[in-house]
Structure formats: structure tokens, C-alpha cells
Amino acid sequence: ILSIWKKINLNLKNSMENQFDEIKWENVLNILEKRFGKKPDLQSIIFLIGHRELGQLREKFSKEEKQDLIHVGVCVLMSQAGYYEYVSDDAQGWPHFEPVRGKEKMDGEAQENILKREIINYFENM
């Protein structure tokens, strides 16, 4: 009976944390919508984070650079969660990261949940 109670308590705690994260996630979306005039999707937010982390005040990027900014954003967020680590900036000022060895692989939904949680943390810690 004790193990069942612990499992119920853990599920309830996880459910409450997910609800709390959903409220924070909606707050992030609403703030960005007010700032940019439309509600952003996950990829747009990751792009913004990559652009901010690059630290170059530019308005135009090539298609490849936009993909690189998304990659930088993902690496920054996943480094907060311990999945990547910052290595250095290259000669053009682009940050480079390496995956942390020994971290488990995860499915797309798990990655999305981690990214959302880390986006919330990113904006809370700005």
C-alpha cells in the first residue's frame, strides 16, 4: 500500500508541476505575443534565444545562418539542462557546444518538454 501511495503522490506532484509549467509557458507566449504582435511557436522562440546568445545586432541572416541560430538556441537551452556544454566561440563570434557524454536519448515529446521548461528558466533568469 505504501508503494501505491508513493506512486500516486509522485504522479500528483508531476501533474501539479506540469500544470505550473503550462501556466508559465503561456505567460512566456503572451509576453512575446505582446512584444512581437503574434504568438510565437517553439522554433521562433528558440531562434530568438539563439540570436540573443550570438550577440550580434543584425536584422538579416541567410537561411543557413537562421538554421544555425536555431541550433545555438537549442544548445543553450539543452546546456541549461545538462545535455550540452559550451566549448568556445569561433572567429566570427558564433558559440559552439558539444553534447555531454552519457546522457540518455529521448523522444521528440520529451525534448520539447525540456526545451519549454528551459525556455521558462531562460526568461526567468534573464
Side-chain angles (χ1 to χ4, degrees):
I1 293 176
L2 185 58
S3 66
I4 294 171
W5 176 250
K6 285 181 181 179
K7 188 174 183 178
I8 291 170
N9 192 27
L10 180 62
N11 287 339
L12 181 60
K13 181 180 178 189
N14 288 339
S15 175
M16 289 171 59
E17 286 175 358
N18 289 340
Q19 286 177 350
F20 188 62
D21 283 350
E22 279 300 317
I23 292 168
K24 286 184 173 187
W25 176 246
E26 285 301 319
N27 286 338
V28 167
L29 293 177
N30 290 334
I31 290 167
L32 291 172
E33 181 178 15
K34 286 178 187 173
R35 170 66 176 91
F36 295 105
K38 68 178 188 175
K39 193 172 260 189
D41 61 10
L42 183 63
Q43 187 171 337
S44 299
I45 298 169
I46 293 169
F47 173 84
L48 288 171
I49 291 170
H51 188 197
R52 182 175 187 273
E53 292 297 319
L54 178 62
Q56 297 178 9
L57 298 175
R58 293 173 40 194
E59 292 184 22
K60 300 275 185 187
F61 292 96
S62 69
K63 183 177 182 177
E64 183 179 322
E65 287 174 325
K66 289 177 183 176
Q67 291 172 338
D68 290 344
L69 286 171
I70 292 169
H71 176 73
V72 168
V74 167
C75 289
V76 165
L77 295 168
M78 295 304 280
S79 69
Q80 292 176 174
Y83 287 87
Y84 281 82
E85 61 185 2
Y86 171 76
V87 177
S88 66
D89 289 350
D90 64 19
Q92 291 78 35
W94 287 77
H96 290 268
F97 298 81
E98 288 183 355
V100 172
R101 293 181 186 208
K103 285 291 190 174
E104 73 277 0
K105 302 240 184 234
M106 64 188 92
D107 63 24
E109 184 179 348
Q111 287 178 352
E112 184 174 317
N113 289 336
I114 289 173
L115 288 169
K116 285 180 179 180
R117 185 182 71 229
E118 294 308 325
I119 287 169
I120 292 165
N121 291 336
Y122 184 86
F123 284 108
E124 285 181 338
N125 295 320
M126 278 180 48

